[in-house]
Amino acid sequence: MKQRTIADLSNLPTYGFGAQSPMWWGTLAFISLEATGFALAVGTYFYLEFVASGWPIAAPAPDLGAGTLVLILLVASVLPNHLTDRWAKNQELRKTRLGLLLMSIFGLLPLIIRIWEFRALHVSWDQNAYGSILWLLLGLHTFHLLTDLGDTLVLTALMFTRHGRSGRRFSDVSDNAFYWDFVVASWVVLYLVIYIFPRWSA
Amino acid sequence: MSVLKSSPIYDLRDTGLTDSALDRFLTETWKTPSGLYGWLATVDHKIIGRRYIITAFFFFILAGLSAAAMRLQLAVPDNKLIGPDLYNQLFTMHGTTMMFLFAVPIMEAFAVYLVPLMIGTRNIAFPRLNAFSYWVYLLGGLMIWIAFALNSGADAGWFSYVPLAGPEYGIGKRSDFWAQMITFTEVAGLAVAVEIIATVFKQRAPGMTLDRIPIFVWSMLIMAFVVLFAMPAVMMASTMLILDRLVGTQFFNPAEGGDALLWQHLFWFFGHPEVYIIFIPATGFVSAILPTFVRRPMFGHLAIVMSLISIGILSFGLWVHHMFATGLPQMGESFFTASSMMIAIPSGLQIFCWIATIWAGRPIFKTPFLFVLGFIVTFVIGGLTGVMVASVPLDLQVHDTYFVVAHFHYVLVGGAVFPLLGAVHYWYPKVTGRMMSETMGRWTFGLVFIGFNATFFPMHLLGLRGMPRRIYTYPAASEWGTTNLLVSAASLLIIAGLVIFFFNIVLSLFRGESAGSNPWNAPTLEWAMQSPPPPYNFLRIPAVSHREPLWFDGSVLNVVCGLRVDTRELLTSTVADAVPELREPSVRNSIWPFLSALAVGAAFLASIFTPWAVVWGGVPIAIGLIGWFWPKGDPEDKE
């Protein structure tokens, strides 16, 4: 087929941020499917609560301490996360590196505290269905914390190499920050389900 | 201050290059190297799409042979050919394979191959994820079939109900293999869904506004969204099942606060949209094939797109109609009866649009069009029995009988396999550069259409006469023998038709007429380049100003220039109006997706035997993923 050139797009940029970048849409799609997974797990929790004669089943409500500490840490991390996002969008390499280091720490701390969270549930995964869904919810979120921490650590290392001097890497940092918001938001919901609901329903 | 402003960039653009020079540069940049490494490392959406299609047809043959074995066993009463245990495995493998390893993957595979061509781009979004998804899918399919060969085939039905599949009754590792196969295929399915969404949203050719997206692409986009929100349910359910079986969780154990119906809710929350994950792309095939063979644009383009979106949304409100026999509250059942009937409205609207298009057109009765006609007839019958079983009293009578088997084969084979076979005949010339034999195509259609109806229509009657599904034999006194013999004999016609189909595919590769770029004089962009398409798809990125660019934009294709040719670069555009936004780099070939898939596969497989595999398996997976994402100093990484 004959071709007729109607526009020269040589001057278009080669990377963009947010909705300009296909990776942002990919991240949003992954967030959507993972949020669906969380929603279904939470739905399962309430389904089991609905069919149970009492809730929680054969266990006291989980202790608040460790879970609340994780909540505080995660909510507090929103600030450095958004600063990192802004620095990345401004393509400020030193500040972005600093932000990523901070976010690595904010990723690591909740994971350490989580060890005590599992202990504070007062129920084992194989004791009854309440225990099973609690461990599943916490396990799911821990998996998200772990994978995002892994991503952040690799990205941090990357930004300290020569590869960090690339616009695409800044865009990656921004998408990583976007995903972290999802990890935080999902914990706010799960915290209410795991810790507050049993007290409220009692 | 930006650290980038000062970095000089030397590159080579397509601007001003002659066609032959451009072809040389682009081929060098986008090609897949020959040899084993190239074979494992390719990220070309066409090669991966083709692989997906061939693999899905391979599983289709295995599932078909399972069905043939079952029909052999059921041909006469009191048959001793196949025992109950093997029979259970056969119907489970048949259903599981058809749904998870054939139907969904092949629909996504067509999207992987065709969507980038139809929207005018050079590769799918996230090409390495695409390669990864194929390997994971292949490994999952091989795993469950090797398990079957070792007498560990899943045996609790394709929906694997608990407690039959649970720790108490599900013997050995059979249900574990089933549950992990779900993990494999859903990881692959979800990955492709994400790719399709990002590709359609961001990589459309300049000018391809939402209003100008081909209906086929719309159907794949909507399918991808349904996958996105449905598949997590079955992953969640199968994870709970395997946890119940391996580490003693109590999700489905009523004695410890669990609930067996929870499985059914989670499974069917996925399982019903699953039907539409298969059906929506099939309607996309129909809406792509029809205009070409009736020589006019689709009647009611907007109505069809809206119908597809409605079907996608409504498909999430029907799942309980699979559970009418479980004693749920009547009020709830009534709601699901209403919603089940409601989805007939957008489906019916589409059918009227297709009929109107044919009515107003000048039909050319080639094989793809014959399959479309066969589809319309068969799907209407399947849809009507669907409305029947949406009614609770009728459903209770025919639940778990051959009536239901007949119904869903009409919907799935009539509604999806017929359009699929039409689609293969339609796009084969594009994929291979050669035409399929029209004579053999007509024989395929005739045998499959007659064989299908003669096989499955009598099953309605068997069901109404009380024959339950999933029984390995039946007594002579039931008087079901003659009809069953007829059904089994008729299934030979389907097999004969499919043998001709596969023979046609293979023979045409060598003897088929040369196809040229657009043998059907079709209107969409995939027919703009030579057949088979070059590694880079489009010499220059097209710019469209009409829904049917090859019909209405004249004999000259409008294009844009300015893209790099010394490295992989494509164009991204705004979501609604497709205004060019970025010259986006596209990744090169890489072995890491394959290695990562091996690591993921090993971890999934080992986790059937020890939960610690998830922990230790994480190490090679992490290495694989770091290798995958770590920049290799390619020119595009420097920007």
Side-chain angles (χ1 to χ4, degrees), chain B residues 65-307:
Chain B
L65 290 174
S66 319
M70 286 189 282
R71 281 324 311 172
L72 207 56
Q73 164 68 13
L74 292 176
V76 291
D78 298 311
N79 199 352
K80 302 277 191 298
L81 186 70
I82 294 172
D85 182 57
L86 180 58
Y87 193 87
N88 287 351
Q89 292 183 62
L90 283 172
F91 73 67
T92 303
M93 293 303 289
H94 171 75
T96 299
T97 304
M98 284 298 192
M99 296 302 270
F100 294 105
L101 299 174
F102 167 65
V104 176
I106 203 155
M107 295 304 173
E108 291 196 326
F110 268 79
V112 164
Y113 192 99
L114 288 169
V115 164
L117 298 178
M118 275 195 182
I119 63 167
T121 188
R122 292 206 162 128
N123 204 351
I124 200 164
F126 319 129
R128 289 184 184 168
L129 185 66
N130 194 30
F132 172 80
S133 82
Y134 170 74
W135 297 116
V136 168
Y137 154 68
L138 176 68
L139 291 173
L142 289 178
M143 179 195 72
I144 195 166
W145 272 96
I146 290 170
F148 172 76
L150 300 173
N151 195 28
S152 278
D155 62 351
W158 84 275
F159 38 70
S160 202
Y161 275 4
V162 291
L164 186 61
E168 207 172 338
Y169 298 102
I171 57 166
K173 291 288 177 192
R174 290 177 171 188
S175 286
D176 301 307
F177 282 115
W178 184 89
Q180 279 309 60
M181 181 281 304
I182 295 292
T183 317
F184 276 97
T185 52
E186 305 315 83
V187 164
L190 285 162
V192 175
V194 171
E195 295 154 23
I196 294 171
I197 291 170
T199 308
V200 177
F201 273 13
K202 292 302 294 177
Q203 291 184 205
R204 300 198 310 277
M208 191 179 278
T209 55
L210 290 180
D211 191 38
R212 292 179 191 147
I213 297 178
I215 295 177
F216 174 90
V217 175
W218 269 113
S219 74
M220 291 302 183
L221 178 68
I222 294 160
M223 179 267 290
F225 271 105
V226 178
V227 166
L228 207 62
F229 296 113
M231 283 192 179
V234 75
M235 279 190 84
M236 197 57 74
S238 66
T239 304
M240 289 178 192
L241 176 63
I242 208 162
L243 288 173
D244 265 18
R245 292 175 57 87
L246 294 182
V247 298
T249 54
Q250 311 284 359
F251 289 108
F252 306 120
N253 177 11
E256 294 296 345
D259 188 65
L261 277 191
L262 171 63
W263 169 267
Q264 296 194 24
H265 280 296
L266 285 172
F267 185 87
W268 290 115
F269 186 79
F270 146 81
H272 199 80
E274 165 89 343
V275 176
Y276 292 92
I277 290 168
I278 298 164
F279 173 64
I280 290 172
T283 65
F285 294 153
V286 172
S287 295
I289 293 170
L290 248 186
T292 301
F293 291 95
V294 302
R295 319 306 312 151
R296 60 151 287 146
M298 276 300 296
F299 174 86
H301 178 98
L302 183 65
I304 290 187
V305 173
M306 288 300 162
S307 297

Side-chain angles (χ1 to χ4, degrees), chain A residues 112-126:
Chain A
I112 295 169
I113 301 167
R114 183 131 296 171
I115 298 167
W116 283 273
E117 256 197 283
F118 279 104
R119 291 182 185 173
L121 294 180
H122 297 306
V123 63
S124 160
W125 66 84
D126 55 357

Side-chain angles (χ1 to χ4, degrees), chain B residues 403-424:
Chain B
F403 189 88
V404 174
V405 177
H407 158 67
F408 67 69
H409 280 91
Y410 263 82
V411 176
L412 290 169
V413 180
V417 178
F418 282 10
L420 175 72
L421 294 177
V424 171

